[in-house]
Amino acid sequence: MHKRYGERTIYDGLDFQVRRRERWCVMGINGAGKSTLLKLIAGASEPDSGTVTRGPSVKMGYFAQHAMELLEAERTVLQSLEDSFPQAGQAALRALAGCFGFSGDEIEKKCRVLSGGEKARLVMAKMLFDPPNFLVLDEPTNHLDIATKQMLVEALSRFEGAMLFVSHDRHFLAALSNRVLELTPEGPHLYGGGYTEYVERTGQEAPGLRT
Ligand SMILES: Nc1ncnc2c1ncn2[C@@H]1O[C@H](COP(=O)(O)OP(=O)(O)OP(=O)(O)O)[C@@H](O)[C@H]1O
Ligand SMILES: [Mg+2]
């Protein structure tokens, strides 16, 4: 597929496939086109030409880089879950909220007062309620504290579906990837191993790494 914004070409004939059980981390400097790729795959953006095709049994969960900003400020945690899953019962949604760390009265908090980590947990609860088999995650751990991040890594390491994600967290990259897509000014580089093998092979770490 091809994708450009005005004069700026982001993808010039990118041909890329994610298969069952593959867990791709997407690396590249700020502005390399990581989020653009995830949006194209998630259907949140269209290529200028070419196509994005999803297998018939693919059920995708998408965590956008700025997903947390889309929560409605005046809705409570519970209302926000009800808005997303109008068919689900209150008990199921309360249980879901509980699993993601909202205990007791906390589900009555309005989204506008939630901390960054609480917002991220709410978005993740929505993403995982109806379990997907393909997760597309754009910097999901940015607002999480260490304990919550660890919990997420453990949960995702048990996830059996395919993944495509962007992260600047070394532990997240090393624990969860088995493929690397590196976006460079010369074009995309694909590696058949995970992040740890990538580091061993290239002798370099991901750009913009936070630890
Ligand atoms: N809707 C848009 N209109 C114009 N330019 C855009 C648009 N979306 C992204 N861009 C530009 O395209 C380039 C790639 O953006 P993208 O968000 O994919 O980068 P990224 O690799 O995710 O960066 P970061 O690490 O900062 O999240 C950037 O230069 C960005 O400014
Ligand atoms: Mg991005």
Side-chain angles (χ1 to χ4, degrees):
M1 62 187 174
H2 301 266
K3 180 73 179 175
R4 55 163 55 213
Y5 293 117
E7 292 290 282
R8 176 141 163 57
T9 298
I10 310 290
Y11 292 111
D12 185 21
L14 176 70
D15 185 6
F16 174 66
Q17 203 175 106
V18 179
R19 296 179 186 81
R20 204 176 285 262
R21 295 187 198 282
E22 290 181 346
R23 298 154 168 261
W24 288 88
C25 64
V26 184
M27 302 192 333
I29 59 170
N30 289 143
K34 303 181 297 294
S35 295
T36 300
L37 177 64
L38 271 57
K39 282 181 204 163
L40 288 164
I41 288 174
S45 175
E46 294 287 316
D48 300 327
S49 59
T51 50
V52 175
T53 312
R54 276 166 231 108
S57 62
V58 169
K59 193 155 140 208
M60 189 169 41
Y62 175 44
F63 184 97
Q65 189 169 3
H66 300 288
M68 294 152 41
E69 293 162 20
L70 303 176
L71 292 171
E72 274 194 60
E74 295 305 320
R75 304 292 279 167
T76 66
V77 169
L78 184 59
Q79 287 168 340
S80 181
L81 291 172
E82 285 169 344
D83 294 344
S84 297
F85 308 106
Q87 312 293 347
Q90 277 240 347
L93 295 180
R94 282 173 188 273
L96 174 68
C99 290
F100 284 83
F102 295 98
S103 52
D105 293 347
E106 284 179 341
I107 56 170
E108 303 301 340
K109 278 188 186 172
K110 290 192 171 177
C111 288
R112 68 174 153 81
V113 306
L114 296 179
S115 71
E118 288 168 338
K119 285 182 188 167
R121 281 196 265 122
L122 177 54
V123 171
M124 248 165 255
K126 291 186 187 198
M127 187 179 72
L128 298 171
F129 179 57
D130 194 6
N133 57 17
F134 178 38
L135 285 175
V136 177
L137 308 174
D138 201 344
E139 307 202 24
T141 64
N142 283 2
H143 296 270
L144 301 182
D145 58 38
I146 291 173
T148 311
K149 196 162 69 182
Q150 190 56 38
M151 201 182 75
L152 182 67
V153 169
E154 277 164 28
L156 291 178
S157 62
R158 290 191 297 268
F159 177 71
E160 293 191 339
M163 285 173 62
L164 178 73
F165 60 91
V166 178
S167 171
H168 296 285
D169 185 273
R170 181 185 286 132
H171 178 55
F172 196 89
L173 290 167
L176 297 175
S177 65
N178 60 20
R179 298 283 187 282
V180 175
L181 172 65
E182 187 183 20
L183 302 176
T184 77
E186 293 78 47
H189 294 165
L190 280 66
Y191 296 86
Y195 180 71
T196 308
E197 288 152 284
Y198 166 88
V199 173
E200 281 168 12
R201 187 126 53 102
T202 63
Q204 63 183 36
E205 295 236 43
L209 205 63
R210 289 186 287 266
T211 44

